[in-house]
PDB file of all heavy atoms in Angstrom:
ATOM      1  N   SER A   1       0.838  -1.213   0.000  1.00 85.00           N
ATOM      2  CA  SER A   1       0.000   0.000   0.000  1.00 85.00           C
ATOM      3  C   SER A   1       0.866   1.253   0.000  1.00 85.00           C
ATOM      4  O   SER A   1       0.574   2.227  -0.717  1.00 85.00           O
ATOM      5  CB  SER A   1      -0.912  -0.010   1.233  1.00 85.00           C
ATOM      6  OG  SER A   1      -1.792  -1.110   1.194  1.00 85.00           O
ATOM      7  N   PHE A   2       1.919   1.251   0.808  1.00 84.00           N
ATOM      8  CA  PHE A   2       2.828   2.396   0.828  1.00 84.00           C
ATOM      9  C   PHE A   2       3.502   2.570  -0.530  1.00 84.00           C
ATOM     10  O   PHE A   2       3.672   3.706  -1.020  1.00 84.00           O
ATOM     11  CB  PHE A   2       3.889   2.179   1.917  1.00 84.00           C
ATOM     12  CG  PHE A   2       4.793   3.353   2.135  1.00 84.00           C
ATOM     13  CD1 PHE A   2       4.396   4.433   2.929  1.00 84.00           C
ATOM     14  CD2 PHE A   2       6.049   3.400   1.545  1.00 84.00           C
ATOM     15  CE1 PHE A   2       5.232   5.513   3.128  1.00 84.00           C
ATOM     16  CE2 PHE A   2       6.891   4.484   1.739  1.00 84.00           C
ATOM     17  CZ  PHE A   2       6.479   5.549   2.531  1.00 84.00           C
ATOM     18  N   CYS A   3       3.881   1.447  -1.157  1.00 85.00           N
ATOM     19  CA  CYS A   3       4.524   1.506  -2.478  1.00 85.00           C
ATOM     20  C   CYS A   3       3.561   2.086  -3.527  1.00 85.00           C
ATOM     21  O   CYS A   3       3.949   2.940  -4.339  1.00 85.00           O
ATOM     22  CB  CYS A   3       4.970   0.100  -2.880  1.00 85.00           C
ATOM     23  SG  CYS A   3       5.741  -0.004  -4.497  1.00 85.00           S
ATOM     24  N   ILE A   4       2.299   1.653  -3.503  1.00 84.00           N
ATOM     25  CA  ILE A   4       1.325   2.145  -4.476  1.00 84.00           C
ATOM     26  C   ILE A   4       1.023   3.626  -4.244  1.00 84.00           C
ATOM     27  O   ILE A   4       0.837   4.405  -5.190  1.00 84.00           O
ATOM     28  CB  ILE A   4       0.035   1.303  -4.401  1.00 84.00           C
ATOM     29  CG1 ILE A   4       0.339  -0.114  -4.903  1.00 84.00           C
ATOM     30  CG2 ILE A   4      -1.085   1.930  -5.215  1.00 84.00           C
ATOM     31  CD1 ILE A   4      -0.823  -1.076  -4.767  1.00 84.00           C
ATOM     32  N   ASN A   5       0.995   4.034  -2.968  1.00 85.00           N
ATOM     33  CA  ASN A   5       0.790   5.461  -2.664  1.00 85.00           C
ATOM     34  C   ASN A   5       1.938   6.307  -3.216  1.00 85.00           C
ATOM     35  O   ASN A   5       1.720   7.432  -3.680  1.00 85.00           O
ATOM     36  CB  ASN A   5       0.674   5.656  -1.161  1.00 85.00           C
ATOM     37  CG  ASN A   5      -0.635   5.129  -0.613  1.00 85.00           C
ATOM     38  OD1 ASN A   5      -1.615   5.011  -1.351  1.00 85.00           O
ATOM     39  ND2 ASN A   5      -0.650   4.782   0.664  1.00 85.00           N
ATOM     40  N   GLN A   6       3.167   5.762  -3.154  1.00 84.00           N
ATOM     41  CA  GLN A   6       4.297   6.474  -3.763  1.00 84.00           C
ATOM     42  C   GLN A   6       4.097   6.643  -5.260  1.00 84.00           C
ATOM     43  O   GLN A   6       4.370   7.714  -5.823  1.00 84.00           O
ATOM     44  CB  GLN A   6       5.600   5.703  -3.493  1.00 84.00           C
ATOM     45  CG  GLN A   6       6.178   5.881  -2.098  1.00 84.00           C
ATOM     46  CD  GLN A   6       7.517   5.191  -1.967  1.00 84.00           C
ATOM     47  OE1 GLN A   6       7.668   4.015  -2.306  1.00 84.00           O
ATOM     48  NE2 GLN A   6       8.505   5.923  -1.478  1.00 84.00           N
ATOM     49  N   ILE A   7       3.632   5.563  -5.919  1.00 85.00           N
ATOM     50  CA  ILE A   7       3.411   5.626  -7.377  1.00 85.00           C
ATOM     51  C   ILE A   7       2.330   6.654  -7.700  1.00 85.00           C
ATOM     52  O   ILE A   7       2.458   7.459  -8.640  1.00 85.00           O
ATOM     53  CB  ILE A   7       3.031   4.227  -7.909  1.00 85.00           C
ATOM     54  CG1 ILE A   7       4.201   3.263  -7.715  1.00 85.00           C
ATOM     55  CG2 ILE A   7       2.634   4.313  -9.385  1.00 85.00           C
ATOM     56  CD1 ILE A   7       3.853   1.819  -8.049  1.00 85.00           C
ATOM     57  N   ASN A   8       1.269   6.647  -6.900  1.00 85.00           N
ATOM     58  CA  ASN A   8       0.178   7.601  -7.133  1.00 85.00           C
ATOM     59  C   ASN A   8       0.613   9.040  -6.886  1.00 85.00           C
ATOM     60  O   ASN A   8       0.033   9.984  -7.449  1.00 85.00           O
ATOM     61  CB  ASN A   8      -1.014   7.263  -6.234  1.00 85.00           C
ATOM     62  CG  ASN A   8      -1.663   5.940  -6.609  1.00 85.00           C
ATOM     63  OD1 ASN A   8      -1.560   5.489  -7.759  1.00 85.00           O
ATOM     64  ND2 ASN A   8      -2.325   5.297  -5.641  1.00 85.00           N
ATOM     65  N   SER A   9       1.626   9.227  -6.041  1.00 85.00           N
ATOM     66  CA  SER A   9       2.099  10.581  -5.751  1.00 85.00           C
ATOM     67  C   SER A   9       3.148  11.061  -6.739  1.00 85.00           C
ATOM     68  O   SER A   9       3.678  12.165  -6.589  1.00 85.00           O
ATOM     69  CB  SER A   9       2.676  10.639  -4.336  1.00 85.00           C
ATOM     70  OG  SER A   9       3.810   9.790  -4.227  1.00 85.00           O
ATOM     71  N   GLY A  10       3.493  10.250  -7.751  1.00 85.00           N
ATOM     72  CA  GLY A  10       4.398  10.692  -8.795  1.00 85.00           C
ATOM     73  C   GLY A  10       5.719   9.964  -8.887  1.00 85.00           C
ATOM     74  O   GLY A  10       6.503  10.206  -9.809  1.00 85.00           O
ATOM     75  N   VAL A  11       6.011   9.051  -7.958  1.00 84.00           N
ATOM     76  CA  VAL A  11       7.261   8.280  -8.018  1.00 84.00           C
ATOM     77  C   VAL A  11       7.124   7.225  -9.101  1.00 84.00           C
ATOM     78  O   VAL A  11       6.068   6.597  -9.247  1.00 84.00           O
ATOM     79  CB  VAL A  11       7.565   7.628  -6.646  1.00 84.00           C
ATOM     80  CG1 VAL A  11       8.845   6.796  -6.713  1.00 84.00           C
ATOM     81  CG2 VAL A  11       7.677   8.689  -5.567  1.00 84.00           C
ATOM     82  N   SER A  12       8.195   6.990  -9.855  1.00 85.00           N
ATOM     83  CA  SER A  12       8.153   5.990 -10.916  1.00 85.00           C
ATOM     84  C   SER A  12       7.952   4.603 -10.318  1.00 85.00           C
ATOM     85  O   SER A  12       8.391   4.316  -9.195  1.00 85.00           O
ATOM     86  CB  SER A  12       9.435   6.031 -11.732  1.00 85.00           C
ATOM     87  OG  SER A  12      10.541   5.643 -10.945  1.00 85.00           O
ATOM     88  N   GLU A  13       7.276   3.710 -11.106  1.00 82.00           N
ATOM     89  CA  GLU A  13       7.002   2.367 -10.594  1.00 82.00           C
ATOM     90  C   GLU A  13       8.298   1.624 -10.284  1.00 82.00           C
ATOM     91  O   GLU A  13       8.405   0.942  -9.261  1.00 82.00           O
ATOM     92  CB  GLU A  13       6.180   1.587 -11.630  1.00 82.00           C
ATOM     93  CG  GLU A  13       4.740   2.037 -11.727  1.00 82.00           C
ATOM     94  CD  GLU A  13       3.905   1.046 -12.531  1.00 82.00           C
ATOM     95  OE1 GLU A  13       4.067  -0.173 -12.314  1.00 82.00           O
ATOM     96  OE2 GLU A  13       3.126   1.483 -13.375  1.00 82.00           O
ATOM     97  N   SER A  14       9.262   1.726 -11.176  1.00 83.00           N
ATOM     98  CA  SER A  14      10.530   1.013 -10.975  1.00 83.00           C
ATOM     99  C   SER A  14      11.199   1.428  -9.670  1.00 83.00           C
ATOM    100  O   SER A  14      11.658   0.588  -8.890  1.00 83.00           O
ATOM    101  CB  SER A  14      11.458   1.279 -12.162  1.00 83.00           C
ATOM    102  OG  SER A  14      12.695   0.617 -11.970  1.00 83.00           O
ATOM    103  N   LYS A  15      11.226   2.742  -9.398  1.00 84.00           N
ATOM    104  CA  LYS A  15      11.861   3.227  -8.172  1.00 84.00           C
ATOM    105  C   LYS A  15      11.045   2.839  -6.939  1.00 84.00           C
ATOM    106  O   LYS A  15      11.597   2.492  -5.892  1.00 84.00           O
ATOM    107  CB  LYS A  15      12.021   4.743  -8.229  1.00 84.00           C
ATOM    108  CG  LYS A  15      12.815   5.316  -7.045  1.00 84.00           C
ATOM    109  CD  LYS A  15      13.014   6.805  -7.175  1.00 84.00           C
ATOM    110  CE  LYS A  15      13.952   7.336  -6.095  1.00 84.00           C
ATOM    111  NZ  LYS A  15      13.594   6.881  -4.733  1.00 84.00           N
ATOM    112  N   ALA A  16       9.721   2.875  -7.031  1.00 85.00           N
ATOM    113  CA  ALA A  16       8.871   2.532  -5.891  1.00 85.00           C
ATOM    114  C   ALA A  16       9.069   1.078  -5.489  1.00 85.00           C
ATOM    115  O   ALA A  16       9.197   0.760  -4.295  1.00 85.00           O
ATOM    116  CB  ALA A  16       7.404   2.799  -6.227  1.00 85.00           C
ATOM    117  N   TYR A  17       9.118   0.169  -6.502  1.00 83.00           N
ATOM    118  CA  TYR A  17       9.332  -1.249  -6.185  1.00 83.00           C
ATOM    119  C   TYR A  17      10.736  -1.485  -5.634  1.00 83.00           C
ATOM    120  O   TYR A  17      10.946  -2.310  -4.734  1.00 83.00           O
ATOM    121  CB  TYR A  17       9.096  -2.110  -7.428  1.00 83.00           C
ATOM    122  CG  TYR A  17       7.686  -2.009  -7.976  1.00 83.00           C
ATOM    123  CD1 TYR A  17       7.444  -1.959  -9.347  1.00 83.00           C
ATOM    124  CD2 TYR A  17       6.600  -1.961  -7.110  1.00 83.00           C
ATOM    125  CE1 TYR A  17       6.158  -1.858  -9.848  1.00 83.00           C
ATOM    126  CE2 TYR A  17       5.296  -1.863  -7.602  1.00 83.00           C
ATOM    127  CZ  TYR A  17       5.081  -1.807  -8.965  1.00 83.00           C
ATOM    128  OH  TYR A  17       3.812  -1.715  -9.461  1.00 83.00           O
ATOM    129  N   SER A  18      11.699  -0.764  -6.170  1.00 84.00           N
ATOM    130  CA  SER A  18      13.070  -0.884  -5.674  1.00 84.00           C
ATOM    131  C   SER A  18      13.184  -0.395  -4.226  1.00 84.00           C
ATOM    132  O   SER A  18      13.859  -1.028  -3.399  1.00 84.00           O
ATOM    133  CB  SER A  18      14.019  -0.090  -6.575  1.00 84.00           C
ATOM    134  OG  SER A  18      15.335  -0.149  -6.083  1.00 84.00           O
ATOM    135  N   ASP A  19      12.498   0.716  -3.902  1.00 83.00           N
ATOM    136  CA  ASP A  19      12.505   1.225  -2.527  1.00 83.00           C
ATOM    137  C   ASP A  19      11.846   0.229  -1.573  1.00 83.00           C
ATOM    138  O   ASP A  19      12.287   0.059  -0.440  1.00 83.00           O
ATOM    139  CB  ASP A  19      11.781   2.571  -2.455  1.00 83.00           C
ATOM    140  CG  ASP A  19      12.569   3.692  -3.124  1.00 83.00           C
ATOM    141  OD1 ASP A  19      13.783   3.488  -3.368  1.00 83.00           O
ATOM    142  OD2 ASP A  19      11.972   4.749  -3.391  1.00 83.00           O
ATOM    143  N   MET A  20      10.778  -0.424  -2.015  1.00 84.00           N
ATOM    144  CA  MET A  20      10.113  -1.420  -1.174  1.00 84.00           C
ATOM    145  C   MET A  20      11.060  -2.584  -0.860  1.00 84.00           C
ATOM    146  O   MET A  20      11.120  -3.078   0.272  1.00 84.00           O
ATOM    147  CB  MET A  20       8.844  -1.939  -1.868  1.00 84.00           C
ATOM    148  CG  MET A  20       8.022  -2.864  -0.986  1.00 84.00           C
ATOM    149  SD  MET A  20       6.578  -3.594  -1.817  1.00 84.00           S
ATOM    150  CE  MET A  20       7.383  -4.874  -2.779  1.00 84.00           C
ATOM    151  N   ALA A  21      11.823  -3.015  -1.861  1.00 83.00           N
ATOM    152  CA  ALA A  21      12.783  -4.107  -1.648  1.00 83.00           C
ATOM    153  C   ALA A  21      13.865  -3.702  -0.648  1.00 83.00           C
ATOM    154  O   ALA A  21      14.295  -4.502   0.186  1.00 83.00           O
ATOM    155  CB  ALA A  21      13.409  -4.515  -2.978  1.00 83.00           C
ATOM    156  N   LYS A  22      14.302  -2.417  -0.723  1.00 82.00           N
ATOM    157  CA  LYS A  22      15.317  -1.944   0.229  1.00 82.00           C
ATOM    158  C   LYS A  22      14.757  -1.896   1.650  1.00 82.00           C
ATOM    159  O   LYS A  22      15.447  -2.223   2.606  1.00 82.00           O
ATOM    160  CB  LYS A  22      15.804  -0.562  -0.195  1.00 82.00           C
ATOM    161  CG  LYS A  22      16.657  -0.566  -1.456  1.00 82.00           C
ATOM    162  CD  LYS A  22      17.085   0.848  -1.815  1.00 82.00           C
ATOM    163  CE  LYS A  22      17.916   0.862  -3.092  1.00 82.00           C
ATOM    164  NZ  LYS A  22      18.318   2.243  -3.474  1.00 82.00           N
ATOM    165  N   ARG A  23      13.487  -1.483   1.796  1.00 80.00           N
ATOM    166  CA  ARG A  23      12.897  -1.430   3.133  1.00 80.00           C
ATOM    167  C   ARG A  23      12.746  -2.821   3.730  1.00 80.00           C
ATOM    168  O   ARG A  23      13.010  -3.044   4.908  1.00 80.00           O
ATOM    169  CB  ARG A  23      11.521  -0.744   3.067  1.00 80.00           C
ATOM    170  CG  ARG A  23      11.547   0.745   2.850  1.00 80.00           C
ATOM    171  CD  ARG A  23      10.189   1.357   3.152  1.00 80.00           C
ATOM    172  NE  ARG A  23       9.115   0.739   2.392  1.00 80.00           N
ATOM    173  CZ  ARG A  23       8.718   1.125   1.189  1.00 80.00           C
ATOM    174  NH1 ARG A  23       9.318   2.152   0.584  1.00 80.00           N
ATOM    175  NH2 ARG A  23       7.731   0.507   0.568  1.00 80.00           N
ATOM    176  N   VAL A  24      12.317  -3.757   2.898  1.00 81.00           N
ATOM    177  CA  VAL A  24      12.105  -5.125   3.392  1.00 81.00           C
ATOM    178  C   VAL A  24      13.431  -5.807   3.703  1.00 81.00           C
ATOM    179  O   VAL A  24      13.574  -6.518   4.690  1.00 81.00           O
ATOM    180  CB  VAL A  24      11.298  -5.938   2.367  1.00 81.00           C
ATOM    181  CG1 VAL A  24      11.202  -7.386   2.775  1.00 81.00           C
ATOM    182  CG2 VAL A  24       9.899  -5.342   2.215  1.00 81.00           C
TER     183      VAL A  24
END
């Protein structure tokens, strides 16, 4: 949900998924 909210706020999908992997 946090990752999708980032995408909806203008972050690129590739970067949002990459950030999620770093957090996990």
Side-chain angles (χ1 to χ4, degrees):
S1 297
F2 186 82
C3 179
I4 292 175
N5 288 337
Q6 282 185 309
I7 295 173
N8 293 335
S9 63
V11 179
S12 66
E13 287 192 44
S14 179
K15 186 177 187 311
Y17 299 140
S18 178
D19 289 344
M20 186 184 78
K22 289 179 181 179
R23 287 194 305 271
V24 173

